[in-house]
Amino acid sequence: MDREKMAAAIRAFLSGIGPTDAEGLERTPDRVAQAWCDDLLSGYGTDPASILTWTAVAPGNGPVLVRQISFASICAHHLLPFFGLAHVAYLPDERLAGLSKIGRVVDAHARRLQTQERLTAAIANTVQEVLAPRGVLVILRAEHTCMSLRGVRKEQSEMVTVEARGVYLDEPARRADVLSLLRDGAG
Ligand code: ZN
């Protein structure tokens, strides 16, 4: 990422606002560029597939559920944050992900310019490709500040997206089982 170019754009953006009574703007372009490079868009410096390390196991394991993974992402249409919780379930075949790895995969995809639908699919695809499980189910619930702060201003509105692969796509009973487990205690 070109931090200088981003800082210059923020300088132009601020001058486009015109006179304001804000103080301490001198360093704002550099602060903003740093925040976007180091945090908000840090996913571009990562390879989600290589984050998802696994260990080999014998087939026949039950589903693995990772609930309540908090995430924050940036809406590609308005450059405003959307944030919420991700729930990821997979039915292993012969590969079991390291405990913290699913959360890190969510983060690696979230810290990019995204739509919630694309983010949900990207997480499901990485889990499917790397772990080659029998099924994957990803659910994202998020508040979009581009909806709550502008436009219709429906402050409580929450968007839910679901992506299913393998048995969770083909077998509704298995999907329902996992969905009810994900709901328990998910508030
Ligand atoms: Zn938006």
Side-chain angles (χ1 to χ4, degrees):
M1 267 178 281
D2 189 334
R3 194 175 291 213
E4 278 308 306
K5 206 170 183 174
M6 292 162 87
I10 296 300
R11 231 167 268 126
F13 178 83
L14 289 172
S15 84
I17 294 172
T20 70
D21 55 0
E23 291 172 4
L25 287 179
E26 298 76 21
R27 290 195 50 237
T28 296
D30 294 324
R31 284 194 204 98
V32 172
Q34 184 177 3
W36 284 78
C37 289
D38 292 354
D39 290 300
L40 305 179
L41 298 180
S42 58
Y44 289 117
T46 65
D47 173 18
S50 69
I51 287 170
L52 189 55
T53 52
W54 49 269
T55 48
V57 292
N61 284 280
V64 176
L65 285 77
V66 188
R67 290 197 310 210
Q68 318 261 53
I69 305 163
S70 61
F71 73 90
S73 189
I74 302 293
C75 151
H77 301 142
H78 300 95
L79 301 187
L80 287 169
F82 63 96
F83 55 88
L85 294 174
H87 310 293
V88 179
Y90 66 99
L91 185 61
D93 187 21
E94 298 183 341
R95 295 175 184 182
L96 217 49
L99 250 192
S100 62
K101 305 302 180 184
I102 299 283
R104 290 188 58 208
V105 166
V106 170
D107 231 30
H109 283 300
R111 298 291 171 137
R112 298 165 186 236
L113 302 179
Q114 287 287 14
T115 63
Q116 187 175 329
E117 298 89 333
R118 193 165 161 267
L119 174 58
T120 313
I123 296 164
N125 289 341
T126 297
V127 174
Q128 182 64 46
E129 285 161 21
V130 177
L131 300 182
R134 298 175 58 206
V136 183
L137 190 64
V138 179
I139 301 165
L140 263 57
R141 316 176 73 95
E143 177 190 334
H144 290 248
T145 56
C146 65
M147 284 176 72
S148 55
L149 301 181
R150 57 167 287 286
V152 288
R153 293 194 179 143
K154 295 260 184 260
E155 277 153 39
Q156 297 303 319
S157 58
E158 181 187 58
M159 186 160 143
V160 182
T161 46
V162 181
E163 282 283 335
R165 306 276 185 275
V167 294
Y168 295 130
L169 191 61
D170 302 333
E171 300 180 31
R174 278 188 195 272
R175 184 170 61 237
D177 278 352
V178 167
L179 281 172
S180 75
L181 284 168
L182 287 174
R183 254 193 308 270
D184 288 344

